[in-house]
Amino acid sequence: MSHINAASTAFTSLPFIDISPFLPENHTVPGNDEKKKAVAKQLDTACREVGFFYLTGHGVPEEATRKVLDVAREFFQQPREEKEKLSIRNQPGSGRGYQRLGENVTRYQKDWHEAVDLYRELPADHNVIRWLSEGSEEEQQRKSGMRPLVTDRNQWPNTPAEFKPLMEEYVQTCQRVGGYVMRAMALGLGLEEGFFEDTYLNEGFWVMRVIGYPPLASSEGHDGVGRSCGEHTDYGCLTLVNQDQTPGALQVMNAAGEWVNANPIPGAFVVNIGDMITIWTNGLYKSTLHRVMNIATNYRVSIPFFYEPNYDSVITPLPNVGDPASYSQKAVMYGDHLFGKVANNFDTADM
């Protein structure tokens, strides 16, 4: 995949998608099938032209999204030594845990944010864990670097006490919302509604980042710092961004090379598509370049949830979507793609 992707149009704002017809409670409402088709068409246009959109009608109360932001802020307000108890250095190679300011790296520059990264935990008898020990000695050696990412456990703080239960509940909420969107996307592509969900996403290896962004101006004097989070595309299927009310921070690149603000809107997730969607659609839907620039004077909190395929799902360009003849990307196992990205995400040298 190319690291740099721009949307196909010079949009100046993000479209809105009301996903409510795909909620289970609306399935028996008269006329709902036609509403689903209309939403699927709107989503298809948004993914072709922008790659980002505001998602409404998802059924998640604002109180639920606010609570996780509040408990995240409370965690980041703790002394550094308390946060460091969860350091990613405790579990080398797993990517799970706390990263101090500047430890996350994008395009060889340090990002001016701190974060706690969480991943799906697989049971010890899961087929992916068994797969790590299968094959020739050479094959097992190739897969050995993946073991911490796949087998390690998340690191949770003792304080705030509500952090773990709230985040675990929020993960389940986001899993449901991601499923609604992927069903709409399948329909928009002319596929069976459950095409993605039933085969490739039924054991999704989700990722969630709980991120705190000090004002970017506070990075002055620290070498190698680029942005609050440097420009990048996302690795998997969908990202559901829950952000506080700081304006002008999350920015999306349009086809003219201009940065467009994805400002927070109460009751809406900012959603973007990732690299796996681009592969599936032969580049018809592009994972769009974006970044974070917290030029405000306040501390910003954001929780992106990454709705992902199963670790061992093989993502193959679909033969009847987009223009397969002009698209050269080969099939990729999602776990290989994820590991290749995460392995280069961190610089744990002391700042």
Side-chain angles (χ1 to χ4, degrees):
M1 291 290 300
S2 171
H3 183 77
I4 302 299
N5 285 304
S8 64
T9 61
F11 62 89
T12 57
S13 61
L14 305 190
F16 283 76
I17 302 294
D18 179 354
I19 202 69
S20 58
F22 285 86
L23 273 60
E25 57 265 35
N26 293 326
H27 286 178
T28 58
V29 173
N32 195 61
D33 286 347
E34 291 305 311
K35 292 179 181 178
K36 288 168 74 172
K37 290 177 184 177
V39 171
K41 184 176 181 180
Q42 292 166 7
L43 181 60
D44 176 67
T45 301
C47 291
R48 289 172 187 249
E49 297 183 354
V50 182
F52 268 75
F53 51 91
Y54 288 110
L55 188 74
T56 63
H58 43 67
V60 183
E62 284 188 51
E63 182 183 12
T65 56
R66 179 186 54 78
K67 278 184 175 179
V68 289
L69 291 173
D70 288 347
V71 78
R73 188 178 301 275
E74 188 177 347
F75 170 80
F76 289 126
Q77 288 172 342
Q78 296 181 111
R80 174 170 165 172
E81 55 268 23
E82 188 66 28
K83 295 180 285 188
E84 288 280 8
K85 292 177 181 178
L86 313 182
S87 174
I88 56 171
R89 303 170 191 223
N90 298 336
Q91 298 178 174
S94 79
R96 301 172 190 255
Y98 171 74
Q99 306 118 49
R100 67 177 68 160
L101 292 170
E103 279 190 327
N104 198 88
V105 175
T106 305
R107 301 186 73 195
Y108 311 108
Q109 289 192 306
K110 297 175 181 179
D111 294 324
W112 200 241
H113 68 251
E114 55 184 332
V116 177
D117 283 10
L118 305 164
Y119 292 76
R120 183 185 176 195
E121 296 179 340
L122 300 180
D125 61 349
H126 195 276
N127 61 291
V128 169
I129 294 179
R130 292 198 301 271
W131 168 79
L132 290 173
S133 301
E134 295 172 351
S136 66
E137 185 175 338
E138 181 180 358
E139 177 79 1
Q140 290 184 47
Q141 181 63 31
R142 183 188 73 82
K143 294 185 287 190
S144 64
M146 297 182 186
R147 186 169 290 277
L149 175 65
V150 174
T151 63
D152 281 357
R153 307 288 95 179
N154 290 322
Q155 300 187 73
W156 295 100
N158 292 323
T159 54
E162 302 85 3
F163 189 99
K164 182 178 180 182
L166 281 175
M167 293 300 173
E168 288 183 326
E169 182 180 1
Y170 185 69
V171 166
Q172 297 306 311
T173 296
C174 290
Q175 286 282 82
R176 290 195 299 273
V177 174
Y180 305 152
V181 177
M182 290 305 298
R183 288 183 173 276
M185 186 179 295
L187 204 59
L189 289 167
L191 305 169
E192 291 294 324
E193 195 174 310
F195 176 85
F196 298 113
E197 284 288 291
D198 296 346
T199 304
Y200 302 99
L201 300 162
N202 54 344
E203 292 187 303
F205 196 72
W206 58 263
V207 183
M208 187 164 76
R209 305 197 70 215
V210 181
I211 313 176
Y213 297 93
L216 188 55
S218 66
S219 67
E220 187 176 348
H222 295 274
D223 293 336
V225 174
R227 307 282 187 263
S228 298
C229 186
E231 48 262 41
H232 64 284
T233 60
D234 289 345
Y235 313 149
C237 285
L238 300 173
T239 307
L240 280 66
V241 181
N242 175 15
Q243 55 182 331
D244 71 14
Q245 293 303 302
T246 306
L250 178 58
Q251 301 177 333
V252 184
M253 182 179 281
N254 67 16
E258 301 163 332
W259 290 104
V260 176
N261 290 336
N263 285 330
I265 293 179
F269 289 106
V270 174
V271 180
N272 61 283
I273 58 176
D275 295 344
M276 298 301 100
I277 301 297
T278 300
I279 294 175
W280 260 322
T281 62
N282 294 287
L284 180 67
Y285 295 174
K286 290 183 174 63
S287 50
T288 305
L289 193 69
H290 54 285
R291 69 182 185 182
V292 177
M293 296 282 289
N294 186 21
I295 58 174
T297 58
N298 62 283
Y299 188 99
R300 176 180 183 262
V301 176
S302 174
I303 304 178
F305 179 86
F306 302 89
Y307 186 77
E308 309 294 47
N310 307 346
Y311 192 89
D312 57 350
S313 284
V314 176
I315 312 303
T316 303
L318 296 169
N320 299 317
V321 174
D323 184 8
S326 64
Y327 189 70
S328 60
Q329 175 69 41
K330 297 179 180 178
V332 60
M333 189 182 88
Y334 172 66
D336 281 335
H337 184 73
L338 175 67
F339 173 69
K341 298 289 188 177
V342 173
N344 296 305
N345 265 5
F346 305 111
D347 178 359
T348 55
D350 289 327
M351 289 189 69

